[in-house]
């Protein structure tokens, strides 16, 4: 948690000698150094004419301006604080300069690493200007950069409340809203089936005498309100997220229940009786479950609740209708299911599936893992699963076994909950039903709310739930066959369902798939040559392959598997290098008559290429492998640098030709610099589209900086990006973006509050599997020219003709990334590691086939916004 120490600024200034002796004497009487209680008295006194004070104010104001002029921001800031605290009348006059001083001073503090102090300054600034949207927004930006997203979002939200048309705060808010109020909240509130089942179960329990209720992880407050409405006498709720807690307070109060539901901003594990709630409750309701059931800590929360917050569990039958003296939990329990699947989409995100990338052999890459633990041992840094909605995966999936029950758990039995982690490993044998590559185990569950009501999160259900995916890294390319039997062992050691071992029984032999390394591959590799290469590469590297493992993000692994992308770079780099060589030789020839060392050495020295891709990238190595190139990689992580070095060695790229750029530069801001005093870059590779489908922030700024660092004839890759979009009707996108409809949710007024967190741009979409109707052809929305800033516009009008009648609800968009005039990469293809984004219209727009739609497309910084209107002069198709 972030800790804001209040003040301390003046003392710090004193110590660092920023104040003159005269100022110091006077500072002792400054309001900032005294406590709040005294504040009122001083204010009153200040109203009387006080010549000494006036003199101090005016001289200090003068000093502030002088210091500002001299770029001594720390002192200027202190003077401004003094002036504005003593003479608030100057606030309007000095606001702009004060902000400027604060931002400059914060920049300095930031580069000095004095972070706590930086936040102290912002706190003091906000005491003076509590409603200043620019300061609020800037505070949010600092918090965001430090990783305090929840807090950052609070500031962006407040800045926006102060000035709803403030574009900087809006853009920032949209970027964080997804973290604050995750999109599934919208889904869940739009899922009427789920809402009604919970409501029924709660109503029944309350009617049966559960009169005191605790809602753990209340979110918007909905389950707590259900309990109150059902007649519970006392309702408590707790929520650990600050934003969600504040939202719940707003919602509960808007529904007239603020006096009757006590909401606590804390984790249930920290709650105590009677400190937080006066006595034990007879009902706990909760939906703190994730796609893998256990990821939100429900087991630990319920064990704690049974020991500290709930009445003892029921032994016999309860007296119907009487106040319950026992406790119970909704949901009453759960059943976890699993199924082995083949799925190429999962495969390409979790393991390297190619042997050659951009002309490089990958044999010596070592073990590349996605950050999903395959191990049965608990590892804090890695979850044992990721989540996907199987029904939405491009290319689909193939079940290799029938679904099986992995686990049953009774939430009303504390011994069982406690025993879960010491339960013995369970061996499950599963007949294989069809041939396929063993890529993952998919896991889902049924939540038994009570005897009658249950919810399922299975892949076949029409719900918003995703499934938990346990990818198999180790069973590389193992093909299961119909008469095989799959043997999996599951445990629940750290209250996560974990796979302990996987084996196959084939023709009476048990083949363990856990320890399958490349070298002991039992099923023949389709490419024996690659196998030989791999073995040789192992000999070349002095470590054993088993130790050479490195973790990569799923999107980084998918990128490595994207051969098109790398081949395109390979081609354009080769083209550029040969052009530059020719140019150089021509120049050399041209200057042959003027002998001198300059030109000759220029041609002999290699071409410099810089790859500023984010995360793991092979492009520098691909550049270096062109020959006559010295390439710089921006890969930062040591393990990942080792992978690149290993690959360089095994692909005969000498060590001098590949360097790590960030080892040379001190900070990230210095990333775009010239290679050395006497050199410029021949090529700079920019990473322009984020995996989520948005243009990278500050891309255009980076491009214009990069252009200045290029030698004559040098290039930026890509040179140009073309944005394409399409009109679609998609109910799913609406359900994911806001609580829909005019009907109150279960009779409660929730939508207007949570819908404040609606974001107009959706990210991480898979356009190929998005449930939607296409209402137009794809259309070019925008061109971003990275080689020529003058060619760019920020507003553009595009006309699109509707090809079908329908409701335009969204405009998904994607990119063609032009590396040069001829070669481009699309972010849409099946092999791409990118997802797509979509603008969801505020109001759906009815359109008839043949009508023209006018799109006002706008690019602010790197955020695209689109407004759509029906063209008033219809040019019908018929
Ligand atoms: N999402 C499922 C998970 N909390 C449900 O802060 C399904 C994901 C999902 N508060 C797509 C679709 C779906 N004490 O606000 C959260 C969280 C809070 C607690 C107090 C505690 N011990 C906890 C634990 C969690 O509970 C709220 C709900 S967590 C369940 C989320 C629709 N992707």
């Amino acid at each position: 948690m972030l800790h804001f120490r209040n003040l301390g600024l003046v003392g710090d200034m004193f110590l660092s000698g920023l104040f003159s002796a005269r100022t110091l004497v006077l500072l002792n009487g400054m309001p900032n150094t005294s406590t709040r209680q005294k504040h009122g008295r001083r204010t009153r006194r200040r109203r009387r004419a006080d010549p000494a004070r006036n003199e101090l104010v005016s001289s200090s104001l003068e000093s502030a301006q002088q210091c500002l002029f001299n770029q001594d921001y720390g002192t200027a800031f202190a003077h401004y604080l003094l002036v504005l605290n003593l003479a608030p009348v100057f606030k309007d006059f000095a606001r702009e300069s004060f902000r400027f001083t604060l931002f400059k001073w914060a920049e300095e503090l930031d580069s000095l690493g004095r972070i706590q102090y930086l936040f102290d300054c912002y706190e003091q600034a906000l005491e003076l200007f509590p409603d200043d949207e620019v300061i609020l927004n800037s505070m949010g930006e600092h918090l965001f950069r430090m990783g305090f997203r929840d807090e950052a979002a609070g500031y962006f939200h407040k800045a926006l409340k102060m000035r709803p048309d403030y574009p900087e705060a809006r853009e920032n808010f949209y970027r964080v809203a997804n973290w604050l109020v995750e999109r599934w909240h919208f889904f869940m509130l739009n899922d009427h089936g789920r809402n009604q089942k919970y409501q029924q179960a709660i109503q029944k329990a309350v009617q049966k005498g559960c009169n005191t209720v605790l809602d753990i992880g209340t979110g918007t407050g909905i389950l707590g309100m259900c309990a109150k409405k059902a007649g519970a006498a006392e309702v408590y709720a707790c929520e650990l997220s600050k934003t969600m807690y504040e939202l719940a307070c707003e919602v509960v109060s808007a529904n007239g229940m603020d006096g009757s539901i006590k909401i606590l901003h804390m984790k249930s594990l920290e709650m105590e009786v009677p400190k937080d709630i006066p006595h034990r409750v007879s009902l706990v309701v909760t939906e703190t479950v994730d796609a893998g059931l256990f990821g939100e800590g429900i087991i630990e929360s319920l064990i704690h609740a049974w020991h500290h917050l709930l009445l003892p569990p029921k032994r016999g039958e309860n007296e119907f209708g009487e106040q319950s003296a026992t406790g119970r939990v909704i949901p009453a329990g759960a059943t976890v299911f699993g199924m082995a699947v083949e799925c190429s989409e999962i495969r390409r995100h979790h393991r390297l599936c190619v042997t050659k990338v951009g002309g490089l052999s990958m044999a010596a890459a070592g073990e590349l893992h996605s950050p999903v633990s395959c191990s049965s041992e608990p590892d804090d840094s890695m979850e044992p699963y990721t989540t996907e909605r199987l029904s939405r995966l491009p290319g689909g999936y193939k079940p290799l076994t029938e679904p099986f029950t992995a686990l049953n758990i009774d939430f009303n039995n504390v011994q069982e909950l406690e025993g879960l982690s010491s339960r013995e490993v369970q061996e499950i044998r599963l007949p294989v039903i069809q041939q396929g590559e063993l890529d993952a185990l998919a896991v889902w569950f049924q939540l038994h709310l009570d005897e009658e009501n249950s919810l399922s999160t299975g892949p076949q259900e029409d719900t918003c739930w995703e499934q938990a995916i346990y990818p198999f890294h180790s069973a590389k390319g193992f093909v299961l066959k119909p008469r095989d039997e799959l043997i999996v062992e599951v445990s629940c050691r750290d209250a996560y369902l974990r796979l302990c071992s996987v084996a196959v029984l084939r023709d009476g032999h048990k083949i363990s798939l856990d320890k399958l390394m490349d070298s002991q591959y039992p099923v023949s590799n389709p490419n024996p040559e690659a196998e030989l290469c791999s073995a040789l590469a192992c000999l070349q590297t002095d470590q054993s392959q088993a130790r050479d493992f490195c973790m990569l993000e799923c999107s980084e692994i998918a990128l490595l598997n994207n051969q098109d992308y790398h081949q395109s770079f390979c081609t354009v780099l080769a083209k550029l290098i040969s052009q530059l060589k020719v140019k150089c030789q021509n120049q050399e020839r041209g200057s042959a008559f003027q002998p001198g060392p300059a030109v000759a050495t220029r041609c002999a020295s290699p071409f410099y290429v810089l790859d500023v891709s984010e995360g793991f990238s092979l492009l520098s190595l691909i550049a270096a492998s062109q020959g006559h190139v010295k390439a710089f990689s921006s890969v930062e992580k040591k393990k990942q640098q080792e992978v690149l070095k290993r690959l360089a060695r095994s692909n005969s790229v000498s060590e001098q030709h590949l360097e790590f750029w960030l080892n040379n530069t001190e900070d990230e801001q210095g990333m775009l610099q010239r290679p050395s005093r006497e050199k410029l870059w021949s090529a700079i590779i920019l990473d322009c589209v984020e995996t989520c489908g948005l243009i990278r922030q500050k891309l255009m700024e980076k491009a214009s900086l990069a252009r200045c660092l290029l030698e004559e004839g040098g290039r930026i890759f890509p040179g140009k990006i073309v944005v394409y979009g399409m009109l679609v009707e998609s109910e799913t996108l609406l359900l994911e973006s806001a609580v829909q409809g005019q009907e109150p949710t279960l009779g409660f007024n929730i939508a207007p509050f949570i819908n404040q967190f609606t974001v107009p741009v959706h990210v991480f979409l898979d356009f190929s599997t998005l449930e939607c109707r296409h209402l137009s052809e794809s259309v070019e929305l925008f061109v971003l020219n990275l080689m020529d800033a003058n060619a760019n516009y920020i507003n553009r009008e595009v006309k699109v003709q509707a090809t079908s009648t329908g409701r335009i609800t969204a405009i998904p968009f994607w990119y063609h990334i032009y590396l040069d005039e001829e070669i481009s990469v699309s972010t849409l293809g099946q092999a791409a590691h990118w997802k797509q984004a979509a603008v969801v219209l505020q109001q759906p727009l009815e359109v008839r086939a043949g009508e023209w739609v006018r799109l006002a497309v706008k690019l602010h910084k790197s955020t695209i916004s689109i407004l759509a209107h029906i063209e008033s002069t219809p040019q019908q198709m018929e």
Side-chain angles (χ1 to χ4, degrees), residues 184-185 187-188 216-219 238-241 244 266-269 287-291 296-297 301 389 464-466:
W184 49 258
H185 281 290
F187 270 142
M188 295 196 12
I216 294 183
T218 194
C238 64
E239 172 54 59
L240 60 87
S241 141
M244 289 314 295
M266 54 168 52
K267 195 166 181 171
S268 65
L269 296 169
E287 200 181 14
T288 48
V289 287
D290 69 338
E296 291 280 345
S301 306
R389 200 166 318 163
C464 53
W465 280 91
E466 296 179 333

